[in-house]
Amino acid sequence: MPSAVELVQSLVNGVGIGLIYGLVAIGFCVIYNASGIVNFAQGVFVMLGGMFAHTLLTQFGLPIYVSAVLSTILVAGIGVLVQIAIINPMWRRKAPLFAIILATLAIQLLIEQVVILTLGDQPRTYPEFTSGGPLKIGPIAIGYQLFWVLGCGALMVFALTQFFNRTRMGRALRACSQNREAAALLGIPVERMLIVSFALSAALGAAAGILITPTQYTAYSVGGPFGINGFIAAIIGGFGSAPAALVGGIFLGVIQSGAIVFFGAGFKNIVALTVLLIVLLFFPSGLFAGRAKSA
Amino acid sequence: MTAMADITPLITVRDLTARYGHIEALRSTALHVAPGEFVTILGPNGAGKTTLLRAITRLIASTGQIVFNGRDVTHLRTHELAGLGIIMVQEGRGLFGDMSVRENLQLGAYKLSGPQAHSERQLEKVFSLFPRLRERIDQTASSMSGGEQQMLAVGRALMADPKLLILDEPSLGLAPRVASEILSTLGALNKEGLGILLVEQKAPLALKLAQRVYILASGSVRAELPTQEIESHHDLARYYFT
């Protein structure tokens, strides 16, 4: 049986990784709600965020904050490119949704291969944003990076909520999520809204990757696991609002972290998936289904 | 031909054909609406009325030509047509149910450019037509009654300051008194100069308001006549006025 300290430490770690899953989940929700598309390339944006930040930091010698902002913009640009070059033409040709979803999976694999060829297959990391630490509260150690994850995560959720509720474009995106035909009939350019949703979603994924890389590592292959966990978090959150997706992520992160403490690292995903199945059994539409959609 | 036909039409539809798979739902259909005219489309279920409206607003692919205000708009997309002033209220209302009345109305004014005052004016106009919307301003659209939802759907369309308002069965599922109230409001808007193209099952009331009628059957226009002439066609009069 793990000690209380181990449990609290595990909770802290779970919240940290869960916030990252939550950001990836919000990315899934933004695109899904605007278009009905589940973007399986979401995880690759996480990987690219970390890879670009590392490259800008180490190859170009830019400060971490500049690298982070530039990486986010670059990945958002890649999101836009993916939407314009692949998703939109399929959308216009009225391709079935499953074909578009398959295309996003292909995009994930394609980008991974390009990253191997251009940046290599070796894992990499960079220092935490704030040096020193960890913060010691009794026997509990909290790395400073967790505060960055917490702060940035909260800020992004707040900014997204404001964006969706208070801006013309945000409301238009919500309108697309509820009734695309009605939105178009009011003059809302639905395809342009899809581009915005991909840009937002990619930027969120990149931010998640940039924030988590110092505490773990990044490599061409990390997109898959982050994508899957983000997808699970989005399902738990009910594919609804940004806060619901974030809570879904934290829930998953804490479960995984607890599983490691109780059963060992090998059981992390077994326990997480079992919990997912149990959640779906009792809440088939997620824990927060029926709440207003705003992401 | 009517006197309205001598005026440059607000919208002219020529040879419009639309398919659902192998089924031709609309065959070489033609119609026009003059500026400030109220036109009603009648026809039995499955006649292609909704398909015609969806083809005009480019919600479905079609062949043929659509000219709006003298400009060929055949290849424009739905949102671009809305930008020109062709606004449709769909059957089933198409409201954003999770959003408030205020947000729905704000989205109605999405394409309005220029000063904020323009959309404020439109909002006051909508409130003067449907005072109940002002009372429900912070309520979600899905929580309102059917009649209030239809008022919101029409009000939201009016927020866009349309030149041509297209409505697909706005009285569907409403109590007769509420339906009459909404259709009367449309009549008042038409008197102010708004062009209206209406598909409506409650024919007697719609025919009181309309200046001209198209009869659609099996995907094509079977007759076009001024409303007052319907009464002289005994078979049509019996079918649509009773």
Side-chain angles (χ1 to χ4, degrees):
Chain A
M1 188 70 184
S3 66
V5 171
E6 281 176 312
L7 282 175
V8 174
Q9 186 69 59
S10 148
L11 183 71
V12 169
N13 296 342
V15 169
I17 191 69
L19 281 165
I20 297 298
Y21 295 158
L23 291 178
V24 182
I26 296 170
F28 271 108
C29 296
V30 168
I31 291 179
Y32 178 79
N33 286 331
S35 63
I37 297 168
V38 176
N39 173 34
F40 278 116
Q42 191 60 34
V44 93
F45 297 141
V46 180
M47 178 267 286
L48 286 176
M51 293 298 260
F52 284 172
H54 178 268
T55 305
L56 291 170
L57 196 67
T58 57
Q59 307 289 314
F60 294 86
L62 296 176
I64 181 61
Y65 307 113
V66 178
S67 302
V69 172
L70 281 180
S71 301
T72 307
I73 293 169
L74 275 172
V75 178
I78 289 174
V80 169
L81 193 69
V82 163
Q83 205 284 338
I84 290 175
I86 296 163
I87 307 300
N88 211 31
M90 293 182 76
W91 180 272
R92 280 193 177 185
R93 292 187 181 104
K94 301 205 181 300
L97 271 184
F98 74 83
I100 299 178
I101 291 167
L102 185 66
T104 66
L105 199 58
I107 291 162
Q108 155 111 12
L109 298 172
L110 182 76
I111 292 177
E112 281 179 0
Q113 292 304 309
V114 172
V115 167
I116 292 174
L117 291 173
T118 53
L119 298 173
D121 60 358
Q122 291 305 301
R124 61 202 68 194
T125 188
Y126 44 82
E128 295 192 354
F129 294 4
T130 304
S131 56
L135 181 72
K136 288 272 197 181
I137 304 174
I140 309 297
I142 306 173
Y144 286 155
Q145 193 63 21
L146 177 64
F147 293 105
W148 277 99
V149 175
L150 267 172
C152 292
L155 193 68
M156 279 188 272
V157 169
F158 176 75
L160 272 176
T161 306
Q162 296 299 306
F163 170 74
F164 280 112
N165 290 321
R166 296 194 183 276
T167 69
R168 181 172 173 263
M169 186 179 279
R171 278 194 291 265
L173 266 167
R174 285 169 61 205
C176 290
S177 80
Q178 293 187 33
N179 190 330
R180 285 188 283 280
E181 281 194 353
L185 285 167
L186 294 174
I188 296 170
V190 175
E191 285 181 12
R192 205 175 303 157
M193 290 300 132
L194 293 190
I195 294 173
V196 172
S197 72
F198 265 79
L200 259 179
S201 185
L204 281 166
I210 293 163
L211 287 166
I212 197 66
T213 296
T215 61
Q216 300 196 351
Y217 68 94
T218 188
Y220 75 95
S221 58
V222 301
F226 276 119
I228 290 167
N229 286 316
F231 185 51
I232 293 172
I235 292 173
I236 292 172
F239 266 99
S241 66
L246 202 69
V247 172
I250 293 170
F251 180 78
L252 180 66
V254 169
I255 292 289
Q256 283 186 344
S257 199
I260 293 171
V261 173
F262 279 99
F263 308 108
F267 283 83
K268 181 176 101 170
N269 288 329
I270 293 173
V271 172
L273 291 169
T274 306
V275 168
L276 171 70
L277 289 175
I278 292 169
V279 167
L280 289 181
L281 210 58
F282 291 100
F283 305 94
S285 302
L287 290 177
F288 305 99
R291 299 291 175 90
K293 288 183 175 180
S294 63
Chain B
M1 295 297 276
T2 66
M4 284 290 187
D6 299 330
I7 304 166
T8 304
L10 182 61
I11 190 166
T12 305
V13 173
R14 297 187 188 106
D15 208 18
L16 205 63
T17 299
R19 295 171 176 278
Y20 292 116
H22 295 297
I23 299 164
E24 202 169 55
L26 201 62
R27 294 191 197 111
S28 296
T29 302
L31 65 76
H32 67 272
V33 180
E37 194 180 17
F38 195 135
V39 174
T40 294
I41 301 170
L42 299 176
N45 280 337
K49 303 184 297 292
T50 296
T51 303
L52 172 60
L53 299 190
R54 290 174 66 79
I56 290 173
T57 51
R58 313 299 297 162
L59 286 176
I60 55 168
S62 61
T63 57
Q65 189 188 34
I66 302 166
V67 177
F68 184 70
N69 264 338
R71 176 185 168 189
D72 189 338
V73 297
T74 311
H75 300 293
L76 294 189
R77 285 179 281 172
T78 304
H79 73 274
E80 293 167 323
L81 292 174
L84 294 177
I86 302 175
I87 303 292
M88 181 162 94
V89 177
Q90 293 169 286
E91 183 182 347
R93 300 164 198 136
L95 293 173
F96 307 121
D98 291 342
M99 298 169 86
S100 67
V101 169
R102 186 196 306 275
E103 288 175 315
N104 270 277
L105 292 174
Q106 283 170 335
L107 283 162
Y110 182 85
K111 72 170 189 71
L112 284 187
S113 53
Q116 176 80 6
H118 192 178
S119 58
E120 293 295 330
R121 262 202 315 277
Q122 289 302 112
L123 191 62
E124 280 311 311
K125 183 179 174 181
V126 169
F127 285 154
S128 69
L129 290 168
F130 304 112
R132 252 179 288 178
L133 295 183
R134 194 195 295 270
E135 296 162 20
R136 304 274 188 269
I137 191 77
D138 291 318
Q139 206 170 314
T140 55
S142 60
S143 68
M144 298 200 303
S145 70
E148 288 167 344
Q149 287 189 6
Q150 193 61 59
M151 288 174 196
L152 177 56
V154 175
R156 190 180 67 180
L158 293 174
M159 285 297 293
D161 198 10
K163 293 184 175 65
L164 174 66
L165 182 60
I166 300 175
L167 302 108
D168 193 358
E169 305 219 21
S171 71
L172 196 69
L174 300 184
R177 188 183 54 77
V178 179
S180 169
E181 190 183 331
I182 287 169
L183 289 176
S184 299
T185 304
L186 295 178
L189 288 165
N190 173 246
K191 282 196 172 68
E192 290 174 13
L194 177 62
I196 294 178
L197 180 60
L198 171 72
V199 162
E200 183 54 63
Q201 289 283 348
K202 289 196 168 45
L205 190 52
L207 289 173
K208 270 185 202 161
L209 300 167
Q211 286 117 39
R212 210 153 44 80
V213 177
Y214 287 94
I215 310 287
L216 208 65
S218 302
S220 59
V221 172
R222 296 300 166 91
E224 175 208 347
L225 62 168
T227 313
Q228 63 270 26
E229 284 183 20
I230 278 208
E231 291 188 54
S232 62
H233 291 70
H234 296 301
D235 51 338
L236 290 177
R238 198 169 51 247
Y239 190 81
Y240 288 114
F241 276 109
T242 56

